[in-house]
Amino acid sequence: EGRDGCAEGADQGAREGCMTRQRVIRPSGLVGFVDCARRWAASHMADELTEAGYALRERPELHIGAAVGSGVHAAAAWTLETKRDTGGLGSENEAEDRAIDEFEQRAAEEGLHFDETTANVGAAKQQIARMVRSYRIHIAPVVEPRLVETRLEADIGGGWRLSGQGDVLAGDPKADVRDIKTGNRKRANGAQYGAYTLIFQAHGFNATGVIEDFIPRVRLRDEQPAPTSTQIDVQVAQAEAVAAMQDIQRSVAEFERRLAAGEPMPETALRANPASQLCSARFCRAWGTRFCRAHLST
C-alpha cells in the first residue's frame, strides 16, 4: 500500500485498509504509554500517523541518559555472555571498550542532548566507565546468565504481538530474571517486567521473580553509588502489563474507527497527559502538532 493511503481526502476503504496491519507491543513501551498514550503513539505508530495525514516533529536527539545507558548495557551484556561461556567476567578493559563503542555509535547515529548530570561527551565516557565497573563489582558476580538478550514473542490476539528483549535480561527464566536500569533517578517499570514474564510463560517458562538492578548516573564530582537491586512482585507487574496492553489495543482500535469514519480529532482516542514531565518538544514528536495540542489547554 502507499504511504499516503490514509492521508486527508482518502476514501473510507483506503483509510480502513492502511490501518489493518500486524502490530507489535514492546514491553519497554508500556510505561511510556501509561504516562502518555499520545506520545507513545507518536513514537510507536509514526508511519501510520504520517499516512493518516499527521505531520510529526523531527525525531529529537538522543538524551544523554539513554546514550550512557546503552553503553552500560552493552558492557554488561558482554560481561554476562562471557561469564555464561567461560565462567569468568572477562577483561574489564574490553567491557569498557564495548561500552564506549556502543555509546559513540548511538551518538553518531542520533546526536546527543546533554543535561546537568552529564554536560559533555568526556563526562559521559567517564560516567560509563565507572558505572560499568560498579556493575562488574556488585552485580555480575551474583548473576547466573542462562538467558542474555534473548528476544521472544507472543501472540496476544487481535493482530497484536508482544515482543520483548531486555537490554540485559539475564538469569533463569524458570526462576529469577534480572534487568539493568540506569539513570539519574529510579523509575517504576513494573509493567515492563510483567510483560517480560508473560512472554516467558507463553514459551513454557515460569519466571517466579524479577530483580531490577539500578545503576545511578551521577555527576562526576560525586562518588559513584553502588547499584540497588529491587525485587519486583510478578503478579502485580503482570496485572499492570495486561491492563496497559488492553488499553493500547482499545485506544488504537478506537483511533482507527474514528479515523475511518472521518470523525473530527480522532487523535483524542489516544489520551494525552500534558502534566507529564516529558510533555515538551524535547521529548515528544507530537507536541505542538495537529496530533497533540493538549498542552495548550493547561
Side-chain angles (χ1 to χ4, degrees):
E1 69 198 16
R3 289 180 57 83
D4 60 349
C6 281
E8 291 184 359
D11 62 30
Q12 179 170 328
R15 288 174 180 249
E16 291 174 345
C18 77
M19 285 300 189
T20 303
R21 65 186 76 215
Q22 181 72 39
R23 296 190 182 276
V24 176
I25 293 176
R26 309 286 186 194
S28 58
L30 293 180
V31 176
F33 174 85
V34 172
D35 184 51
C36 181
R38 214 169 299 171
R39 188 179 71 247
W40 173 90
S43 175
H44 294 265
M45 296 172 56
D47 288 346
E48 295 95 312
L49 296 179
T50 299
E51 291 171 1
Y54 292 101
L56 300 175
R57 305 178 69 91
E58 291 295 319
R59 191 177 302 278
E61 291 179 321
L62 184 66
H63 188 271
I64 189 61
V68 167
S70 293
V72 175
H73 284 116
W78 180 82
T79 298
L80 295 180
E81 288 168 352
T82 301
K83 184 178 181 181
R84 180 190 60 195
D85 297 340
T86 70
L89 300 184
S91 163
E92 182 174 295
N93 288 338
E94 176 70 14
E96 292 181 13
D97 287 346
R98 287 174 177 263
I100 297 302
D101 287 346
E102 176 67 19
F103 168 79
E104 290 178 339
Q105 180 178 335
R106 294 291 302 275
E109 291 174 352
E110 303 179 56
L112 293 174
H113 177 77
F114 298 96
D115 64 12
E116 294 182 355
T117 303
T118 309
N120 52 59
V121 167
K125 291 183 178 181
Q126 292 182 68
Q127 289 169 331
I128 289 170
R130 66 183 194 172
M131 291 167 74
V132 168
R133 288 194 294 269
S134 180
Y135 178 80
R136 286 169 58 88
I137 290 170
H138 297 285
I139 303 297
V142 301
V143 176
E144 293 301 326
R146 296 182 177 90
L147 182 72
V148 181
E149 288 198 322
T150 300
R151 178 168 294 283
L152 297 172
E153 296 187 349
D155 188 337
I156 58 174
W160 290 83
R161 290 181 295 115
L162 179 61
S163 178
Q165 174 181 313
D167 292 320
V168 178
L169 189 61
D172 185 346
K174 296 182 180 179
D176 277 346
V177 294
R178 308 180 78 112
D179 192 47
I180 295 173
K181 293 297 181 193
T182 64
N184 53 18
R185 68 183 181 88
K186 199 172 183 299
R187 293 173 171 81
N189 300 297
Q192 177 181 354
Y193 300 134
Y196 284 147
T197 60
L198 290 170
I199 295 175
F200 290 151
Q201 288 180 0
H203 286 265
F205 301 117
N206 184 29
T208 56
V210 177
I211 299 172
E212 178 184 278
D213 296 314
F214 176 70
I215 309 173
R217 175 175 62 95
V218 299
R219 296 182 182 186
L220 290 176
R221 70 189 184 196
D222 298 326
E223 183 179 352
Q224 175 64 44
T228 59
S229 297
T230 303
Q231 185 81 42
I232 306 299
D233 186 310
V234 172
Q235 289 187 327
V236 171
Q238 287 184 346
E240 294 297 334
V242 169
M245 289 188 290
Q246 290 174 340
D247 282 348
I248 288 174
Q249 291 174 295
R250 281 194 296 264
S251 297
V252 173
E254 177 62 12
F255 170 72
E256 294 173 351
R257 186 198 67 76
R258 295 183 187 182
L259 185 67
E263 295 184 10
M265 292 187 287
E267 64 273 10
T268 56
L270 293 149
R271 297 302 303 136
N273 177 18
S276 168
Q277 292 185 342
L278 302 181
C279 183
S280 70
R282 170 83 280 279
F283 295 105
C284 181
R285 296 187 66 190
W287 192 90
T289 71
R290 186 169 66 86
F291 187 63
C292 189
R293 292 162 287 182
H295 63 285
L296 297 177
S297 62
T298 60

